[in-house]
Amino acid sequence: MATWHKAVLAAALGLAVVSVGGLAFAQADAIKARKDGFQVFRTSAGAIKKVVDDNSAPAGAVAPAEAIASQAARQLQHFPAGSDKGDTKAKPEIWANMAQFEGYMKDLEAKATAVAVAGKAGDAAALKTAFGAMGAACGTCHKAFRMD
Ligand code: HEC
């Protein structure tokens, strides 16, 4: 092999190594970003639960419910292919069943929006029902797609 061929090959291999490393970084970033998103879900769901448990003004549930809905709309981008590897409890089944996973996330978005609607209406009974349905949407996806 001509020397310049070897140099080109070495350069190409070097680039390949760099880009694989870059990919691993991107996946770690995605895992971190989605966990941050799920923490928004957790904190906001806790805030809504407090409104329901304390029987306080339903309007207090609106902001956290809207936070969940808007986070749900952004959450899917943090599940790029290959990000089942690393410090994650996401099951590989997600990537084999992405349409279903997306459907569950869209369902959560709708259920969180319904919580916000009940809060805006000032309807405590509707809020409680909507909050229960939202919690079920969290559980359905975890059961299917999150490791225990
Ligand atoms: C469409 C699927 C889906 C829905 C809906 C969903 N989750 Fe999750 N959740 C996951 C997956 C997958 C993980 C694991 C993420 C990881 O480890 O990379 C997770 C992880 C979490 C975590 C742990 C995050 C961390 O820091 O490790 C919390 C807390 C959480 N979810 C709360 C919720 C709450 C609360 C809701 C409902 C408001 C919810 N999730 C709805 C799929 C979902």
Side-chain angles (χ1 to χ4, degrees), residues 30-32 34-46 68 72 75-76 78-79 83 87-91 94-95 100-109 112 131 134-142 145-147:
I31 292 169
K32 164 98 177 63
R34 73 191 178 218
K35 285 182 177 176
D36 289 349
F38 287 124
Q39 290 299 333
V40 170
F41 286 178
R42 188 181 65 84
T43 311
S44 307
I68 292 174
Q75 190 68 343
L76 289 168
H78 302 309
F79 285 85
S83 64
D87 182 17
T88 176
K89 291 193 165 175
K91 285 189 184 169
I94 291 171
W95 290 271
Q100 191 188 14
F101 186 75
E102 287 178 7
Y104 284 164
M105 194 63 84
K106 294 234 156 61
D107 184 50
L108 172 64
E109 190 181 340
F131 178 61
M134 192 195 84
C138 309
T140 300
C141 188
H142 289 165
F145 292 122
R146 186 176 73 166
M147 291 172 206

Side-chain angles (χ1 to χ4, degrees), residues 51-52 55-59 114-115 117-119 121-133:
V51 171
V52 171
N55 213 8
S56 55
V115 171
V117 168
D123 186 335
L127 176 64
K128 192 173 180 187
T129 305
F131 178 61

